[in-house]
Amino acid sequence: MTIWLSEVAAALRPLVDHGFGVLAYQVDHTAAQRFAHVVSAGARVDPLLRSVPYLPPALFRAIYTDIPRLTWAADHVIRTATRHALDPSPFLAVAARDYGYDDILALSVPLGDGPVLQLTAPGPRRPLPAVERRLLLDLCGHLQAAVHLRRRARTEAVLDPAGRLLHAEGDARAADARAALSDAVRRTETARGRLRRTAPAEAAALWDPVVAGRWTVVEQFDVDGKRFLLARRPTGLTPREQQVTALVASGASNKEIAHALGLAPSTVSGALRAALRKLGLRHRLELVR
């Protein structure tokens, strides 16, 4: 988790770093050991998260404690210190005078009942452009899916970077599934290329976090350095729960799902609740994200 989070912070840095680096960690206000997996890209930081060199101690306590707690309570995933922390204005005045920044951007990804993945970057106070906000929201959705896959998932298909299917099992062997996975790999490869630098919002839109409501495509290298794309699906869902979550992820309401599957609305609600619990999600909005 720590190594992966370091790579996430480094990948995020070109988008949000204003010379102070990016700090990433997991915080859980329901646990005695509040902070875990503390890493940074471009900033020296105490591994126990007691201090950061460019943060006045009082500001540090206000921002890095209040924002995650508020996020955990309200489900928002993008916040700034000036708008969402508990009265940081006097501390930010000190930061502006001594360190040269007057706001902190925070991306928060709820991981279940308590833990929150937090990425923060000090910088100037400014409105967040709609395109940049959309890109960061997409990033949060990908991170949330990635964490769940790292915890519990199985590989059902292996493809090469050209989208050719090298191995498939289970539902991935069906013709429509193979076509959807091949298309998703080609779109992902396009998004990973030059488009990521020239048009990041367009690249993010090409990168599907969920393929056909069932799989997420992730990258893997073998011992010889060859690159493959794996179609992975969280384990533990029954076929009925997989059907319901796929339709929920596509934006369908419980009533529409009940009609499509010929089920009672109460059956759909029960299957959705069970699936969310197994996936470590709190509500359908997190599933859609």
Side-chain angles (χ1 to χ4, degrees):
M1 179 69 165
T2 301
I3 295 174
W4 173 76
L5 196 53
S6 297
E7 295 173 349
V8 169
L12 179 65
R13 189 178 175 190
L15 182 63
V16 300
D17 185 12
H18 293 276
F20 301 96
V22 175
L23 184 67
Y25 56 92
Q26 181 177 304
V27 60
D28 186 351
H29 286 279
T30 68
Q33 183 64 38
R34 181 175 296 176
F35 299 105
H37 309 298
V38 182
V39 298
S40 71
R44 298 186 312 276
V45 59
D46 185 321
L48 296 180
L49 205 57
R50 288 190 293 254
S51 64
V52 176
Y54 53 75
L55 289 178
L59 174 62
F60 175 81
R61 288 193 297 272
I63 303 305
Y64 289 88
T65 299
D66 294 342
I67 286 183
R69 183 169 68 244
L70 292 172
T71 302
W72 175 65
D75 297 332
H76 289 99
V77 292
I78 298 179
R79 291 177 174 271
T80 60
T82 51
R83 294 189 58 192
H84 301 106
L86 302 182
D87 191 21
S89 50
F91 311 126
L92 285 172
V94 174
R97 182 192 67 203
D98 295 344
Y99 299 95
Y101 68 88
D102 54 9
D103 206 352
I104 296 179
L105 175 69
L107 277 64
S108 302
V109 181
L111 304 181
D113 293 331
V116 174
L117 185 64
Q118 187 87 0
L119 297 103
T120 53
R125 186 181 309 182
R126 64 185 180 93
L128 196 62
V131 172
E132 186 174 334
R133 182 177 181 82
R134 181 68 259 170
L135 183 61
L136 294 176
L137 283 170
D138 288 343
L139 171 66
C140 289
H142 282 289
L143 289 177
Q144 191 169 44
V147 170
H148 291 307
L149 284 168
R150 290 176 64 86
R151 288 175 172 175
R152 185 177 60 186
R154 71 175 185 269
T155 298
E156 292 195 353
V158 180
L159 302 97
D160 68 12
R164 290 186 291 265
L165 190 70
L166 306 178
H167 170 77
E169 57 187 57
D171 293 345
R173 290 180 294 182
D176 58 342
R178 296 198 305 269
L181 289 169
S182 295
D183 180 64
V185 166
R186 288 190 290 268
R187 289 163 59 89
T188 298
E189 288 299 292
T190 300
R192 293 174 62 88
R194 185 173 58 184
L195 197 64
R196 183 171 55 178
R197 297 183 296 274
T198 60
E202 184 179 345
L206 282 174
W207 199 317
D208 296 326
V210 180
V211 180
R214 286 172 286 183
W215 300 281
T216 291
V217 175
V218 297
E219 183 182 52
Q220 179 168 303
F221 291 85
D222 70 7
V223 292
D224 296 324
K226 295 179 181 178
R227 191 161 64 89
F228 299 98
L229 287 302
L230 310 180
R232 308 192 71 188
R233 178 162 61 177
T235 61
L237 298 186
T238 67
R240 176 70 71 220
E241 290 163 357
Q242 292 172 13
Q243 286 180 310
V244 170
T245 53
L247 290 169
V248 169
S250 71
S253 68
N254 283 12
K255 185 176 181 180
E256 291 170 333
I257 295 171
H259 179 74
L261 299 180
L263 301 173
S266 58
T267 302
V268 173
S269 298
L272 178 58
R273 285 195 302 271
L276 292 176
R277 183 177 65 253
K278 291 177 181 179
L279 294 172
L281 304 176
R282 289 173 290 178
H283 48 65
R284 67 192 304 132
L285 180 58
E286 288 188 358
L287 176 62
V288 173
R289 285 174 178 164

